[in-house]
Amino acid sequence: MGEKTQPSLLLILLCMSGLVPRSAAFVFWTALLETRYYHSSNDTVVKLCECGVYGRNSEVEKFSGYVAVPKGDPTGCNPDTSYGRNSSQEWIALVKRGNCTFSEKINTAMYQGAAGVVVYNVDGTGNGTTYMSHPETDDAVAIMIGNIQGTEIANLVKSGTVVYMDIKVGNPHGPWMDTYWLYFLSIAFFIVTAASIAYFVFISANRLYSMNRHRRTENRLKSEAKKAIGRLEVITLKRGDELTTSDAMCAVCIESYKAGEVVTVLTCDHVFHKACIEPWLLERRTCPMCKCDILKALGVEEEVKVDMSTSSPPEVTVITVTGGDSLYEVPLNEPMSHEPEQQQNLYDNIAFVEDSETARG
């Protein structure tokens, strides 16, 4: 009971949201078929089964009436086929599959006033049914039942037995609603979710490891920088010293030197306020003026700061230069050591050389 209720509720929600039209190809509805007729002993025989399947293009709704079979051809393909029923009572056409399309059978019966059409399968198929398609019918209600059951009802009607049929909407079925498919989709969902979580955990752990490694490297470099700073020459300025009498200024704070201030002399002989240069050296470890590496100058080997995998390439500003009929991109902020090679590469282009000579001339 629980297995049928859950898919039904899911389908109802989808139908209410307009996502599943009545003729959706990925779901089909079964039909509850109840037949009643009087036996020769005046006993009422009632048979009930969920043995019908609504057509692909059928209205999915209940219908009922007395069963009528076509006279002559049981398939009801002839447009002039008579069922011998009038419109005073609701009646259902019972026709056999074959000889023409489902649409032709259904339209012929509906044209004569049938409340609905029941198609039973061909001989040799037992009680097997198929999901019949009848796109050329408008607002028709049609189901298919098995051959054995349909033949039995047709024979009763032909023998003069009055058979009443009541058909109600059964349960929805489809690949996505099958229990095994639900299990499969659930397992697939959990596998994908687990893989995604594992991937993000791996990425986060790798990033955390890189950050910790970078932090440890920075801490070691700061420790080495502290040792190096302790080996630098420190002077207390006195009145009359050259630094106090000249216009020299500390390049970090941009203020003049005064008597009584403590200054630090770097290995490159540049002088700065001790309170200004020490925080600078802890972070950058180079002279603010000449970029001299203090650690290397003091013989302290600097470790690699960051892995190549975590470092980003330097940004390069590029301008476009016109040379003849061609365009050339020239980086502006390349290191000075690369400039001669850059110029040599540029002058290898004949058009560029001609333009340069013309400008100089």
Side-chain angles (χ1 to χ4, degrees):
M1 181 66 181
E3 293 183 357
K4 291 184 177 180
T5 303
Q6 183 177 5
S8 299
L9 292 175
L10 289 174
L11 189 63
I12 290 173
L13 292 176
L14 290 174
C15 290
M16 292 177 64
S17 64
L19 297 178
V20 179
R22 66 188 181 190
S23 59
F26 63 91
V27 61
F28 64 91
W29 292 82
T30 58
L32 295 172
L33 184 64
E34 179 182 348
T35 55
R36 297 193 301 269
Y37 60 91
Y38 289 103
H39 197 265
S40 58
S41 60
N42 291 330
D43 295 331
T44 303
V45 178
V46 179
K47 295 183 179 180
L48 178 64
C49 64
E50 188 178 357
C51 47
V53 178
Y54 279 89
R56 184 187 299 269
N57 308 99
S58 171
E59 294 280 352
V60 182
E61 59 185 31
K62 64 180 181 178
F63 62 103
S64 59
Y66 293 97
V67 180
V69 296
K71 295 181 179 180
D73 183 9
T75 61
C77 291
N78 192 334
D80 298 326
T81 299
S82 174
Y83 286 86
R85 304 295 304 188
N86 55 45
S87 59
S88 61
Q89 293 179 327
E90 292 288 339
W91 61 279
I92 296 174
L94 177 64
V95 296
K96 188 176 183 179
R97 180 181 182 181
N99 291 347
C100 61
T101 65
F102 292 117
S103 297
E104 292 174 340
K105 299 174 186 293
I106 295 171
N107 284 333
T108 298
M110 297 297 292
Y111 180 76
Q112 296 191 32
V117 180
V118 176
V119 180
Y120 60 98
N121 215 343
V122 295
D123 298 337
T125 58
N127 273 327
T129 58
T130 60
Y131 191 25
M132 62 179 180
S133 176
H134 44 96
E136 298 176 3
T137 58
D138 296 328
D139 300 329
V141 187
I143 69 169
M144 174 175 279
I145 62 176
N147 175 264
I148 296 176
Q149 184 181 21
T151 301
E152 179 184 354
I153 298 174
N155 290 335
L156 287 173
V157 175
K158 291 177 182 179
S159 65
T161 303
V162 177
V163 180
Y164 187 84
M165 188 178 290
D166 187 11
I167 299 171
K168 298 179 181 178
V169 180
N171 294 298
H173 296 272
W176 65 278
M177 301 184 69
D178 187 83
T179 304
Y180 294 102
W181 273 97
L182 291 177
Y183 291 154
F184 173 77
L185 292 177
S186 300
I187 294 173
F189 172 77
F190 285 118
I191 290 176
V192 173
T193 303
S196 302
I197 293 174
Y199 173 76
F200 285 114
V201 169
F202 172 77
I203 294 298
S204 301
N206 186 51
R207 183 173 299 179
L208 183 61
Y209 171 78
S210 299
M211 293 175 61
N212 289 336
R213 184 176 179 181
H214 177 73
R215 189 181 298 111
R216 290 195 300 267
T217 302
E218 286 295 322
N219 290 337
R220 286 196 297 269
L221 290 175
K222 285 186 178 181
S223 178
E224 296 295 336
K226 287 181 181 179
K227 295 178 182 179
I229 292 172
R231 295 164 56 183
L232 295 174
E233 181 182 2
V234 178
I235 301 174
T236 301
L237 297 179
K238 298 178 182 179
R239 190 180 303 275
D241 287 346
E242 181 181 357
L243 290 176
T244 60
T245 57
S246 64
D247 294 333
M249 292 187 299
C250 174
V252 178
C253 64
I254 318 298
E255 291 188 4
S256 302
Y257 297 105
K258 299 178 183 178
E261 293 181 337
V262 181
V263 296
T264 298
V265 183
L266 303 187
T267 56
C268 54
D269 294 332
H270 289 132
V271 181
F272 306 91
H273 287 126
K274 184 175 185 297
C276 296
I277 195 60
E278 288 188 353
W280 177 281
L281 293 177
L282 285 177
E283 294 295 331
R284 297 170 178 81
R285 295 173 287 280
T286 58
C287 173
M289 298 181 66
C290 66
K291 304 302 179 182
C292 174
D293 194 319
I294 305 302
L295 295 183
K296 289 184 179 180
L298 294 175
V300 179
E301 184 178 358
E302 183 177 355
E303 299 181 10
V304 179
K305 295 181 181 180
V306 187
D307 289 342
M308 294 298 294
S309 60
T310 59
S311 61
S312 57
E315 295 183 357
V316 179
T317 303
V318 177
I319 63 172
T320 302
V321 178
T322 303
D325 297 331
S326 304
L327 297 177
Y328 306 92
E329 292 185 348
V330 181
L332 293 182
N333 54 345
E334 285 289 329
M336 294 298 293
S337 59
H338 293 173
E339 287 185 1
E341 181 180 356
Q342 167 104 22
Q343 295 293 332
Q344 179 64 36
N345 292 337
L346 291 176
Y347 282 100
D348 285 343
N349 185 280
I350 297 176
F352 192 91
V353 172
E354 292 177 353
D355 291 346
S356 301
E357 291 178 352
T358 302
R360 287 198 300 269

